[in-house]
Amino acid sequence: MVSACPQEFAELAERLLRAEAERREVEQLTVDIPELTVSDAYRIQRELVRLKQAAGQRLIGFKMGLTSRAKQKSMGVDVPIYGHLFEETAVDDGAAVHLDQLIHPRAEAELAFVIGAELSGRHVTAASVAAAVESVVPVIEIIDSRYRDFKFKLPDVIADNTSASRVVIGRRRAGVSEVDLRLTGVVLERNGEVVATGAAAAVLGNPLESIALLVQLLARDSSGLERGQLVLAGAITEAVPVRRGDVVSAAFDGLGSVMVSFC
Ligand code: OOG
Ligand code: MG
């Protein structure tokens, strides 16, 4: 699809947006278009973002995905990716998420960062990210692939805004120097049962490396991070499927817990 025209990207973005709105699984784009490239896929994602913004949705930040071995192995894709986060996807700690708005959601534990100063450029490092971060915050990301059986290839998941669906934002915020970001442990529980555990070093050695990579990837499109944006570093553990009545919590060392229920 190297020479695809903008209308084709828009049509594919609309297909994914309709699946999300109608809560319906669709076939992977790469079934129809096996030659779809990663750069085509980001163009489709940008088109999807443009359509959401045109519909009045406000961008609040970004998410990295597939940044830990646990996630890469479970999804069969070993390349870190990024997506966009919108205001309407933010959920308060302790709130209930209605499953009739989602397709086949899964929950995963992540560290997120609130950006304190603009960050851009191809040469940004974890150290410059640390200097620009205002705070670290624990989150549960609820991912919900629009593809059948939650299966995709790399270009599919990029086009689908990296399965972004909801973000449950923890109440406690800490400065980056208050916690050891590599050693920060997490225990993910579903209905009181431990379903996954991990340490944040699982995310590219240090979640700040994930944010540095995000800034480098955004720089390819002359974009960057702005003050006040929320950025997810990617799941530390694999994601767990959720059903009606489930309660999921993630307890982070030094950062408290975040919880969500599903009804
Ligand atoms: C893709 C999104 C991955 C993460 O934290 O690794 C992601 C998926 O697994 O559906 O959000
Ligand atoms: Mg995630």
Side-chain angles (χ1 to χ4, degrees):
M1 197 169 171
V2 183
S3 58
C5 58
Q7 289 94 314
E8 275 178 87
F9 291 122
E11 195 278 315
L12 296 170
E14 273 163 22
R15 197 188 291 182
L16 292 166
L17 277 180
R18 263 197 311 277
E20 183 181 6
E22 295 169 8
R23 197 188 164 266
R24 190 169 44 79
E25 297 180 320
V26 291
E27 189 142 74
Q28 297 171 16
L29 303 186
T30 53
V31 170
D32 274 355
I33 317 162
E35 67 277 21
L36 195 73
T37 66
V38 163
S39 96
D40 290 336
Y42 276 113
R43 284 187 65 181
I44 297 166
Q45 184 188 125
R46 282 201 297 280
E47 195 54 41
L48 190 144
V49 166
R50 195 186 63 75
L51 290 166
K52 281 185 186 265
Q53 286 176 317
Q57 296 189 29
R58 197 175 73 85
L59 186 74
I60 56 166
F62 294 88
K63 57 165 284 188
M64 285 294 280
L66 307 178
T67 49
S68 66
R69 283 292 295 144
K71 280 291 308 192
Q72 293 178 349
K73 269 172 71 184
S74 67
M75 304 318 293
V77 179
D78 61 3
V79 178
I81 54 179
Y82 74 88
H84 293 70
L85 295 178
F86 289 90
E87 192 170 30
E88 61 157 24
T89 68
V91 174
D92 289 337
D93 184 15
V97 166
H98 290 259
L99 286 179
D100 58 7
Q101 296 167 359
L102 307 175
I103 305 168
H104 39 207
R106 298 180 181 180
E108 52 190 27
E110 309 200 11
L111 289 180
F113 298 92
V114 178
I115 303 302
E118 202 176 292
L119 260 177
S120 61
R122 285 169 193 263
H123 305 292
V124 161
T125 61
S128 43
V129 172
V133 158
E134 185 185 285
S135 54
V136 51
V137 51
V139 304
I140 293 174
E141 187 185 22
I142 300 162
I143 50 172
D144 193 21
S145 173
R146 269 54 70 168
Y147 298 115
R148 186 161 304 136
D149 301 327
F150 219 118
K151 292 213 174 83
F152 44 70
K153 297 203 169 67
L154 176 63
D156 298 306
V157 65
I158 292 169
D160 187 28
N161 197 23
T162 65
S163 312
S165 181
R166 301 285 186 275
V167 189
V168 190
I169 304 173
R171 290 164 211 260
R172 169 106 200 268
R173 289 176 184 209
V176 276
S177 53
E178 285 173 56
V179 285
D180 185 328
L181 285 171
R182 301 182 73 242
L183 294 183
T184 299
V186 62
V187 176
L188 184 67
E189 291 184 313
R190 184 177 52 200
N191 305 327
E193 186 195 335
V194 175
V195 282
T197 59
V203 175
L204 299 179
N206 183 328
L208 292 173
E209 294 287 355
S210 173
I211 311 306
L213 178 58
L214 169 64
V215 176
Q216 292 160 16
L217 292 170
L218 289 173
R220 296 200 291 207
D221 298 316
S222 312
S223 174
L225 300 180
E226 289 167 24
R227 187 182 150 79
Q229 286 183 329
L230 180 75
V231 184
L232 274 56
I236 298 167
T237 67
E238 64 178 66
V240 296
V242 291
R243 292 201 210 142
R244 187 156 285 120
D246 283 352
V247 176
V248 173
S249 70
F252 290 80
D253 189 27
L255 291 168
S257 291
V258 52
M259 195 194 83
V260 61
S261 62
F262 296 88
C263 60

